[in-house]
């Protein structure tokens, strides 16, 4: 029997211990949950490292020796593009684009001639600045007809001769530049009735008609082209006047006023009028020939030309001239232009009439220039100086090379003239001397000599005063076509200005200076030594060497592809 007094073990209540145990368990669970992700992470890292290590062991040296994967090249660097069918397609496409571009440029060049580049030395493929100014200034409709087919013109097969491809080219450019100008072609063989509209002009193949509602002008092949033959070599040089002829014709048919320049042909005149007439046409004059002895001076004449007459005038002829100059019923300026030459003259009645105007020509003497820098070939072909008074209306034009060959001196009388004023228009330099006909040496006295002079009076019509002029030139060669048509000399420009002043039309039209362009002029000139160097050095050595070097470079580059 157990002892009842034995001390009992203390008794613990489960309900009292539970809260503490639950709190401790919760803390342990929290710590465990926080530790699990770290353990998982560590375990994963270990697994990856182990896997990597295993892979390295498995691959070993083979992985290190394996080639790296190349980056795929672009299409334009690929072999297919360089050597395959694609290259052929691209080449064919490029050639097609070049051909198409060439066709387009050709069409544009035919439709718009002004876009073409003029590479010729003489500028024959395009309008000059003066002609272009006149073309652009046309305000009224102008019809231009070339008497030939377009095909014949462009192939220069027109029977009139000359380079009619240039005619077609320049006239088409004019029509393009100004919509008021229209151009057409008329084959006279296919349509002979067309020529019936111009019966008095006797149209032939190659003629050009420039027509407005006011008037028309026919340009023949001799107006468009000229030729000169060298008397020493007998070589013929051809010249084109197409540019100047077009400009002068447009000027003429569109001008409000067309003055007449009348040339007397009844005294065996020695002056060549062809060059001067071209200049007058360019200045919008209408030129007419007449016989002063049998005909009346043409109506509308503002310039009467007596071109170095070889026989004297009758009293009746001089009365016609006087009446012409003093007629108060004419409301315009008028001028008589007389030309003499060294060794010519001695026309007593004409000389006496000129003296009434204070002018005289010493035909038995010639002006000789002693300064070699002021003449061409010899002292008789000298450059003269244009005087500044009176103002002829030429603006700032320079006449530095005014050639006055075979000139006799002109004397001026300034006193005792009733209502007339005299001027020296052109003079020689102060280093010029005089030589008498038949003598071998000129005088030792040197002084400036007058070559062209003007005597001017006034004629009143109503309340308006007009000029009546007498011009005396000591040089008939001043008007020669061989000089006036050469751009190296200023004769053409000066005679244009002088003529318009004489007719009182200085402000009514644009000047056209007639200058010739050499036809078929070589665009490249080279010496004999240059030809040898070009043939041997360039084509025999340099060109083959360049081809060889290019071949080597291409070969080496293709080997590296």
């Amino acid at each position: 029997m157990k002892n009842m007094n034995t001390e009992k073990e203390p008794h613990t209540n489960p309900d009292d211990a539970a809260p503490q145990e639950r709190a401790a368990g919760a803390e342990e669970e929290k710590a465990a949950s926080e530790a699990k992700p770290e353990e998982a992470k560590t375990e994963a890292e270990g697994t990856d490292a182990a896997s990597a290590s295993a892979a390295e062991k498995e691959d070993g040296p083979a992985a290190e020796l394996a080639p790296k994967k190349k980056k795929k090249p672009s299409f334009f660097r690929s072999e297919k593009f360089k050597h395959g069918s694609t290259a052929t397609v691209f080449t064919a496409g490029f050639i097609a684009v070049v051909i198409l571009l060439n066709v387009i440029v050709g069409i544009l060049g035919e439709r718009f001639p002004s876009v073409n580049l003029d590479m010729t030395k003489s500028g024959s493929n395009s309008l000059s600045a003066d002609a272009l100014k006149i073309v652009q200034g046309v305000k009224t409709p102008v019809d231009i007809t070339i008497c030939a087919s377009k095909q014949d013109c462009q192939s220069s097969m027109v029977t009139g001769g000359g380079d009619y491809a240039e005619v077609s080219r320049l006239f088409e450019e004019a029509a393009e530049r100004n919509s008021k100008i229209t151009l057409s072609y008329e084959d006279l063989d296919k349509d002979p009735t067309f020529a019936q509209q111009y019966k008095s002009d006797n149209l032939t193949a190659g003629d050009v008609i420039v027509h407005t509602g006011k008037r028309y002008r026919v340009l023949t092949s001799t107006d468009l082209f000229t030729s000169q033959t060298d008397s020493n070599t007998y070589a013929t040089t051809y010249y084109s006047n197409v540019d100047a002829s077009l400009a002068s014709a447009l000027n003429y048919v569109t001008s409000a006023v067309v003055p007449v320049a009348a040339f007397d042909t009844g005294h065996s005149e020695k002056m060549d009028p062809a060059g001067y007439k071209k200049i007058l046409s360019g200045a919008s004059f209408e030129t007419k020939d007449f016989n002063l002895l049998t005909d009346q001076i043409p109506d509308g004449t503002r310039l009467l030309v007596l071109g170095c007459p070889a026989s004297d005038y009758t009293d009746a002829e001089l009365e016609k001239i006087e009446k012409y100059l003093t007629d108060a019923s004419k409301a315009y300026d008028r001028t008589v232009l007389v030309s003499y030459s060294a060794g010519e003259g001695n026309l007593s009645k004409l000389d006496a009439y000129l003296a009434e105007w204070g002018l005289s020509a010493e035909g038995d003497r010639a002006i000789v220039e002693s300064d070699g820098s002021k003449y061409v070939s010899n002292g008789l072909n000298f450059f003269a100086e244009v005087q500044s008074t009176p103002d002829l209306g030429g603006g700032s034009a320079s006449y530095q090379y005014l050639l006055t060959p075979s000139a006799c001196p002109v004397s001026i009388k300034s006193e005792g003239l009733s209502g007339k004023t005299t001027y020296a228009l052109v003079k020689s330099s102060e280093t010029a001397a005089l030589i008498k006909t038949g003598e071998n040496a000129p005088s030792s006295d040197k002084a400036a000599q007058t070559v062209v002079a003007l005597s001017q009076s006034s004629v009143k019509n109503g309340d308006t005063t007009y000029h009546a002029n007498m011009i005396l030139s000591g040089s008939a060669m001043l008007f020669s076509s061989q000089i006036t048509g050469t751009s190296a000399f200023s004769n053409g420009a000066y005679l244009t200005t002088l003529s318009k002043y004489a007719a009182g039309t200085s402000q009514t039209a644009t000047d056209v200076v007639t200058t010739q362009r050499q036809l078929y002029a070589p665009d490249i000139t080279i010496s004999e030594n240059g030809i040898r160097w070009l043939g041997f050095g360039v084509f025999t050595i340099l060109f083959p060497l360049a081809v060889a070097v290019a071949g080597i470079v291409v070969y080496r580059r293709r080997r590296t592809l």
Side-chain angles (χ1 to χ4, degrees):
M1 178 185 239
K2 290 182 181 180
N3 191 355
M4 300 296 292
N5 296 326
T6 304
E7 186 177 355
K8 297 181 179 180
E9 294 181 2
H11 178 76
T12 304
N13 192 343
D15 295 334
D16 295 336
Q20 297 178 357
E21 292 176 356
R22 284 197 297 271
E27 291 179 359
E28 290 177 1
E29 289 178 2
K30 183 178 180 181
S33 64
E34 291 177 354
K36 283 180 179 180
E38 295 294 333
E39 291 176 0
K41 181 178 180 183
T42 303
E43 184 177 357
E45 290 177 353
T47 303
D48 292 341
S51 299
S53 177
E56 289 178 0
K57 289 180 180 179
E58 290 177 0
D59 295 340
E64 295 178 359
L65 295 176
K68 294 182 180 181
K69 190 175 182 180
K70 288 186 178 181
K71 185 179 180 181
K72 187 177 181 180
S74 67
F75 173 72
F76 294 102
R77 293 179 178 271
S78 66
E79 293 293 322
K80 185 178 181 180
F81 175 75
K82 292 181 179 179
H83 305 293
S85 59
T86 308
T88 304
V89 173
F90 268 83
T91 302
F94 177 77
I95 294 174
V97 170
V98 172
I99 294 174
L100 181 61
L101 182 62
N102 187 52
V103 171
I104 292 174
V105 171
I107 294 173
L108 289 176
E110 185 176 352
R111 177 65 181 84
F112 305 102
S114 60
V115 303
N116 296 319
L117 295 178
D118 188 354
M119 304 297 291
T120 60
K121 184 177 181 181
S122 61
S124 59
N125 284 341
S126 59
L127 294 172
S128 66
D130 289 341
L132 185 58
K133 182 179 179 181
I134 292 173
V135 167
Q136 293 174 335
V138 172
K139 304 298 183 184
T140 57
V142 178
D143 296 322
I144 300 177
T145 304
I146 300 177
C147 295
S149 68
K150 185 174 182 179
Q151 182 178 359
D152 286 348
C153 285
Q154 293 180 341
S155 58
S156 291
M157 297 295 291
V158 180
T159 56
D163 185 6
Y164 270 83
E166 179 183 340
V167 176
S168 177
R169 190 165 51 244
L170 295 187
F171 280 63
E172 285 182 355
E173 181 181 350
E176 180 214 334
R177 296 279 189 174
N178 192 327
S179 60
K180 295 288 186 182
I181 301 174
T182 58
L183 176 64
S184 60
Y185 297 84
E186 193 68 51
D187 191 335
L188 297 182
D189 293 332
K190 294 181 179 179
D191 185 12
T193 59
F194 178 81
Q196 298 301 315
Q197 304 175 41
Y198 305 91
K199 287 184 178 180
S200 61
D201 296 291
N202 297 319
L203 294 182
T204 59
D207 289 349
V208 180
I209 302 101
V210 184
H211 191 283
T212 64
K214 299 176 182 178
R215 60 191 74 89
Y216 71 90
R217 171 173 286 178
V218 176
L219 301 175
T220 65
S221 59
T222 55
D223 295 320
L224 300 171
F225 304 101
T226 57
S227 62
Q228 293 180 5
T229 302
D230 191 307
S231 58
N232 296 321
T233 63
Y234 299 102
T236 301
T237 304
Y238 296 92
Y239 295 93
S240 167
N241 301 316
V242 177
D243 181 86
S245 296
L246 168 61
S248 64
L250 289 174
N251 234 356
Y252 172 75
V253 299
T254 59
S255 295
V257 177
V258 179
V260 174
F263 287 74
D264 179 29
T265 60
H267 296 82
S268 303
E269 285 73 15
K270 296 184 177 181
M271 186 185 89
D272 172 22
Y276 189 32
K277 286 182 177 180
K278 281 186 175 292
I279 291 172
L280 292 170
S281 296
S284 300
F285 280 78
E286 180 182 2
T287 59
K288 294 183 178 181
D289 292 340
F290 79 110
N291 188 322
L292 185 60
L293 180 63
T294 59
D295 304 328
Q296 296 296 319
I297 298 175
D299 291 338
T301 297
R302 298 197 182 192
L303 180 61
L304 175 58
V305 181
L306 312 181
C308 197
S311 60
D312 207 352
Y313 289 79
T314 64
D315 293 335
E317 290 176 299
L318 295 176
E319 287 178 6
K320 288 181 182 180
I321 294 175
E322 178 67 13
K323 182 179 179 181
Y324 161 74
L325 288 171
T326 58
D327 188 355
S329 66
K330 307 298 183 183
Y332 47 75
D333 292 351
R334 72 295 306 265
T335 299
V336 174
L337 190 158
V338 183
S339 67
Y340 272 33
S341 186
E344 305 293 338
N346 296 321
L347 308 177
S348 58
K349 291 188 176 183
L350 179 59
D351 290 342
Y353 182 70
L354 290 173
E356 295 178 10
W357 287 80
L359 305 175
S360 62
E362 301 177 47
D364 60 342
R365 300 189 181 195
I367 302 173
V368 181
E369 177 58 63
S370 61
D371 186 343
S373 65
K374 298 177 181 178
Y375 64 74
V376 178
S377 299
N378 60 70
L380 292 173
N381 304 318
F382 62 92
F383 294 115
E385 301 171 359
V386 176
Q387 307 302 297
S388 58
T389 304
D391 181 9
L392 301 182
S396 58
S398 173
Y399 309 109
Q400 184 177 1
Y401 298 107
L402 181 65
L403 190 63
T404 55
S406 303
C408 65
V410 173
S411 298
I412 297 176
K413 179 182 178 182
S414 57
E415 298 179 357
L417 300 176
S418 176
K420 298 180 179 67
T421 306
T422 54
Y423 304 91
L425 299 180
V426 178
K427 286 186 174 183
S428 70
S429 72
E430 294 182 352
T431 54
L434 297 178
I435 182 172
K436 271 193 171 186
T437 303
E439 294 184 356
N440 296 324
S443 166
S444 59
D445 297 331
K446 294 180 176 60
Q449 304 292 333
T450 300
V451 180
V452 182
L454 164 69
S455 180
Q456 190 172 78
S457 67
S458 299
V459 178
K460 201 163 186 178
N461 177 275
D463 295 330
T464 307
T465 300
Y466 297 96
H467 289 146
N469 305 309
M470 178 67 70
I471 297 177
L472 177 59
S473 171
S475 172
M477 288 291 291
L478 167 67
F479 304 86
S480 170
S481 58
Q482 294 183 348
I483 299 174
T484 57
T486 304
S487 58
F489 305 125
S490 58
N491 293 48
Y494 177 71
L495 291 177
T496 298
T497 301
L498 178 64
S499 301
K500 293 178 71 172
Y501 174 82
T505 59
S506 297
Q507 306 300 325
T508 59
T510 304
D511 292 348
V512 179
V513 179
T514 303
T515 55
Q516 298 175 332
R517 295 176 176 179
Q518 185 176 346
L519 205 58
Y520 316 120
D523 295 327
I524 300 176
T525 55
I526 188 170
S527 63
E528 184 177 351
N529 290 333
I531 294 174
R532 290 175 179 173
W533 184 90
L534 187 65
F536 180 76
V538 175
F539 292 102
T540 306
I541 299 177
L542 292 182
F543 187 72
L545 182 61
V547 173
V549 171
I552 293 172
V553 171
V554 171
Y555 172 74
R556 292 181 62 85
R557 286 185 64 97
R558 289 182 65 86
R559 286 193 61 188
T560 60
L561 294 177

